[in-house]
Amino acid sequence: MHPVSQGQAAERQQQAQDAPAAAAQLSPPAAESGAALQIAGLDTVAGLRRVMGKRTLYLSLLERFRDSQGRAVQDIRMALARGARGEAERMAHTLKGVAGNIGAMGVSGQAAVVEDTLRHGSGEEDVEAALQQLAGPLQALLLALAPVLGGDP
């Protein structure tokens, strides 16, 4: 791995670990009300700001995130198993951006580490370690979204 990329990866991993997480989860009725929207693993204030405070739109984006990115770690592993490293890197990049847009900064930061690891040609062990570091925050976010959005994580 390139020395600069190691520093960048370490910095991004630290940022991901330091990302603030909301303390409480809301039930679906609270999500529909005017109450503050707090979901563990999300900076909902930033996420709502990106959609100009439109709660229904934000909840729709959260649903789309759950549906399109919920299997990202598995999908990246499958791409790598097929030898499609570039595709795996693009998947990590997409997850990084989408997670950032909804305010899931921990997931976004860990996805950035995976992207950097893939981009700089790191070995399989380094890539798998980065994927394992991403899997935890992603799964925790999906579990936190379940009571708000309904359905299975």
Side-chain angles (χ1 to χ4, degrees):
M1 185 185 255
H2 190 276
V4 174
S5 66
Q6 283 181 340
Q8 290 171 339
E11 181 180 327
R12 286 187 178 187
Q13 186 166 9
Q14 185 61 45
Q15 289 171 350
Q17 291 170 348
D18 293 342
Q25 297 177 11
L26 295 179
S27 64
E32 296 165 6
S33 74
L37 186 60
Q38 294 183 341
I39 302 169
L42 283 180
D43 180 347
T44 57
V45 172
L48 282 165
R49 189 177 319 121
R50 285 187 180 88
V51 295
M52 299 176 2
K54 297 178 181 175
R55 181 184 292 252
T56 302
L57 176 58
Y58 184 59
L59 291 171
S60 172
L61 290 175
L62 295 178
E63 287 178 5
R64 286 181 23 197
F65 174 84
R66 176 196 62 199
D67 296 344
S68 69
Q69 300 300 312
R71 293 189 38 84
V73 172
Q74 296 93 322
D75 292 345
I76 291 169
R77 284 183 175 131
M78 287 178 16
L80 290 170
R82 291 192 312 272
R85 192 176 182 104
E87 181 183 346
E89 182 184 334
R90 283 188 298 279
M91 289 177 184
H93 178 80
T94 298
L95 176 59
K96 175 185 77 173
V98 175
N101 283 337
I102 64 169
M105 303 317 294
V107 172
S108 180
Q110 289 301 141
V113 172
V114 172
E115 180 186 21
D116 288 345
T117 303
L118 289 165
R119 178 180 301 123
H120 296 293
S122 298
E124 289 180 31
E125 288 180 10
D126 290 337
V127 172
E128 182 55 33
L131 284 169
Q132 288 177 4
Q133 289 293 315
L134 170 59
L138 179 58
Q139 185 62 31
L141 177 58
L142 295 171
L143 289 171
L145 287 173
V148 176
L149 300 177
D152 294 328

